[in-house]
Coordinates of all heavy atoms in Angstrom, one line a residue:
L1 N 18.9 12.4 -56.9 CA 17.5 12.7 -57.0 C 17.2 14.1 -56.4 O 17.6 14.4 -55.3 CB 16.6 11.7 -56.4 CG 16.7 10.3 -57.0 CD1 15.9 9.3 -56.1 CD2 16.1 10.3 -58.4
G2 N 16.4 14.9 -57.1 CA 15.9 16.1 -56.5 C 17.0 17.2 -56.3 O 18.2 17.0 -56.6
G3 N 16.6 18.3 -55.8 CA 17.6 19.4 -55.5 C 18.2 19.1 -54.2 O 18.0 18.1 -53.5
E4 N 19.1 20.0 -53.8 CA 19.9 19.9 -52.6 C 19.0 19.7 -51.3 O 19.3 18.9 -50.4 CB 20.8 21.1 -52.4 CG 21.9 20.9 -51.3 CD 22.8 19.7 -51.6 OE1 23.1 19.5 -52.8 OE2 23.3 19.1 -50.7
D5 N 17.9 20.4 -51.3 CA 17.0 20.4 -50.1 C 15.7 19.6 -50.4 O 14.8 19.6 -49.6 CB 16.7 21.8 -49.6 CG 17.9 22.6 -49.3 OD1 18.8 22.0 -48.6 OD2 18.0 23.8 -49.6
S6 N 15.7 18.9 -51.5 CA 14.5 18.3 -51.9 C 14.2 17.0 -51.1 O 15.1 16.2 -50.8 CB 14.5 17.9 -53.4 OG 13.4 17.1 -53.8
E7 N 13.0 16.8 -50.8 CA 12.6 15.6 -50.0 C 12.3 14.4 -51.0 O 12.2 13.3 -50.5 CB 11.3 15.8 -49.2 CG 11.5 16.7 -48.0 CD 12.5 16.0 -47.0 OE1 12.3 14.8 -46.7 OE2 13.4 16.7 -46.5
T8 N 12.3 14.7 -52.3 CA 12.1 13.6 -53.2 C 13.3 12.6 -53.3 O 13.2 11.5 -53.9 CB 11.9 14.1 -54.7 OG1 13.0 14.9 -55.1 CG2 10.6 15.0 -54.7
K9 N 14.4 13.0 -52.7 CA 15.5 12.1 -52.7 C 15.6 11.2 -51.4 O 16.5 10.4 -51.3 CB 16.8 12.9 -52.8 CG 17.0 13.8 -51.6 CD 18.4 14.4 -51.6 CE 18.7 15.3 -52.8 NZ 20.0 15.9 -52.8
N10 N 14.6 11.3 -50.5 CA 14.6 10.6 -49.3 C 13.6 9.5 -49.2 O 12.5 9.7 -49.7 CB 14.4 11.5 -48.1 CG 15.5 12.6 -47.9 OD1 16.7 12.2 -48.1 ND2 15.1 13.8 -47.6
F11 N 14.0 8.3 -48.7 CA 13.1 7.2 -48.7 C 13.2 6.5 -47.3 O 14.2 6.7 -46.6 CB 13.5 6.1 -49.8 CG 13.4 6.7 -51.2 CD1 14.4 7.5 -51.7 CD2 12.3 6.5 -51.9 CE1 14.3 8.0 -53.0 CE2 12.2 7.0 -53.2 CZ 13.2 7.8 -53.7
N12 N 12.2 5.7 -47.0 CA 12.1 5.0 -45.7 C 13.2 3.9 -45.7 O 13.2 3.0 -46.5 CB 10.8 4.3 -45.5 CG 10.6 3.6 -44.2 OD1 11.2 2.6 -44.0 ND2 9.9 4.2 -43.3
L13 N 14.2 4.1 -44.8 CA 15.3 3.2 -44.7 C 15.0 1.8 -44.4 O 15.5 0.8 -45.0 CB 16.4 3.7 -43.8 CG 17.6 2.9 -43.6 CD1 18.3 2.7 -44.9 CD2 18.6 3.5 -42.6
D14 N 14.0 1.6 -43.4 CA 13.7 0.2 -43.0 C 13.2 -0.6 -44.3 O 13.5 -1.8 -44.4 CB 12.5 0.3 -42.0 CG 13.1 0.7 -40.6 OD1 14.3 0.6 -40.4 OD2 12.2 1.1 -39.8
K15 N 12.4 0.1 -45.1 CA 11.9 -0.6 -46.3 C 13.0 -0.9 -47.3 O 13.1 -2.0 -47.9 CB 10.8 0.2 -47.0 CG 9.5 0.3 -46.2 CD 8.4 1.0 -47.0 CE 7.1 1.1 -46.3 NZ 6.1 1.8 -47.1
I16 N 13.9 0.1 -47.5 CA 14.9 -0.1 -48.5 C 15.9 -1.2 -48.1 O 16.2 -2.1 -48.9 CB 15.7 1.2 -48.6 CG1 14.9 2.4 -49.2 CG2 17.0 1.0 -49.5 CD1 14.3 2.2 -50.6
I17 N 16.4 -1.2 -46.9 CA 17.3 -2.2 -46.4 C 16.7 -3.6 -46.4 O 17.4 -4.6 -46.4 CB 18.0 -1.8 -45.1 CG1 19.4 -2.3 -44.9 CG2 17.1 -2.3 -43.9 CD1 20.4 -1.6 -45.8
A18 N 15.4 -3.6 -46.3 CA 14.7 -4.9 -46.3 C 14.4 -5.4 -47.7 O 13.8 -6.5 -47.9 CB 13.3 -4.8 -45.5
G19 N 14.9 -4.7 -48.7 CA 14.7 -5.1 -50.1 C 13.6 -4.5 -50.8 O 13.4 -4.8 -52.0
D20 N 12.8 -3.6 -50.2 CA 11.7 -3.0 -50.9 C 12.2 -1.7 -51.5 O 12.0 -0.6 -51.0 CB 10.6 -2.6 -49.8 CG 9.3 -2.1 -50.5 OD1 9.3 -1.9 -51.7 OD2 8.3 -1.8 -49.7
M21 N 12.8 -1.9 -52.7 CA 13.5 -0.8 -53.4 C 12.7 -0.2 -54.5 O 13.2 0.7 -55.3 CB 14.8 -1.3 -53.9 CG 15.7 -1.9 -52.8 SD 17.2 -2.6 -53.5 CE 18.1 -1.1 -54.1
A22 N 11.5 -0.6 -54.7 CA 10.7 -0.3 -56.0 C 10.6 1.2 -56.2 O 10.9 1.7 -57.3 CB 9.3 -0.9 -55.9
L23 N 10.2 2.0 -55.2 CA 10.0 3.4 -55.4 C 11.3 4.1 -55.7 O 11.4 5.0 -56.5 CB 9.4 4.0 -54.1 CG 7.9 3.7 -53.8 CD1 7.5 4.3 -52.5 CD2 7.0 4.1 -54.9
L24 N 12.4 3.7 -55.0 CA 13.7 4.3 -55.2 C 14.2 4.0 -56.6 O 14.6 4.9 -57.4 CB 14.7 3.8 -54.2 CG 16.2 4.1 -54.4 CD1 16.4 5.6 -54.4 CD2 17.0 3.5 -53.3
I25 N 14.1 2.8 -57.1 CA 14.6 2.4 -58.4 C 13.8 3.1 -59.5 O 14.3 3.6 -60.5 CB 14.5 0.9 -58.6 CG1 15.5 0.2 -57.6 CG2 14.9 0.5 -60.0 CD1 16.9 0.5 -57.7
E26 N 12.4 3.2 -59.3 CA 11.6 3.8 -60.3 C 11.9 5.3 -60.4 O 11.9 5.8 -61.5 CB 10.1 3.7 -59.9 CG 9.1 4.3 -60.9 CD 9.3 3.7 -62.3 OE1 9.7 2.5 -62.5 OE2 9.0 4.5 -63.3
A27 N 12.3 6.0 -59.3 CA 12.6 7.4 -59.4 C 13.9 7.5 -60.2 O 14.1 8.5 -60.9 CB 12.8 7.9 -57.9
L28 N 14.9 6.6 -60.0 CA 16.1 6.7 -60.7 C 15.9 6.4 -62.2 O 16.6 7.0 -63.1 CB 17.1 5.7 -60.1 CG 17.7 6.1 -58.7 CD1 18.4 4.9 -58.1 CD2 18.6 7.3 -58.9
I29 N 15.0 5.5 -62.5 CA 14.7 5.2 -63.9 C 14.1 6.4 -64.6 O 14.5 6.7 -65.7 CB 13.8 4.0 -64.0 CG1 14.5 2.7 -63.7 CG2 13.2 3.9 -65.4 CD1 13.7 1.4 -63.6
Q30 N 13.2 7.1 -63.9 CA 12.6 8.3 -64.5 C 13.6 9.4 -64.7 O 13.6 10.1 -65.7 CB 11.5 8.8 -63.6 CG 10.3 7.9 -63.5 CD 9.7 7.6 -64.9 OE1 9.6 8.5 -65.7 NE2 9.3 6.3 -65.1
L31 N 14.6 9.5 -63.8 CA 15.6 10.5 -63.9 C 16.5 10.2 -65.1 O 16.9 11.0 -65.9 CB 16.5 10.6 -62.6 CG 17.7 11.6 -62.7 CD1 17.3 13.0 -63.0 CD2 18.5 11.5 -61.4
D32 N 16.8 8.9 -65.2 CA 17.7 8.4 -66.3 C 17.0 8.7 -67.7 O 17.6 9.1 -68.6 CB 17.9 6.9 -66.2 CG 18.9 6.4 -67.2 OD1 19.9 7.0 -67.4 OD2 18.6 5.3 -67.8

């Protein structure tokens, strides 16, 4: 996701590892 220095590729780890992956998955779907 995003460019090399882009912040659009970064997500809150506590939420992700707890299973709250919605924002991350949606970003990947849009890229796809």
Side-chain angles (χ1 to χ4, degrees):
L1 297 169
E4 192 62 33
D5 301 319
S6 174
E7 285 300 312
T8 59
K9 62 168 64 178
N10 296 320
F11 299 83
N12 182 288
L13 178 56
D14 286 342
K15 289 185 177 181
I16 297 296
I17 210 71
D20 185 358
M21 304 174 67
L23 290 177
L24 171 58
I25 298 296
E26 182 57 32
L28 289 166
I29 287 176
Q30 291 304 319
L31 176 61
D32 184 49

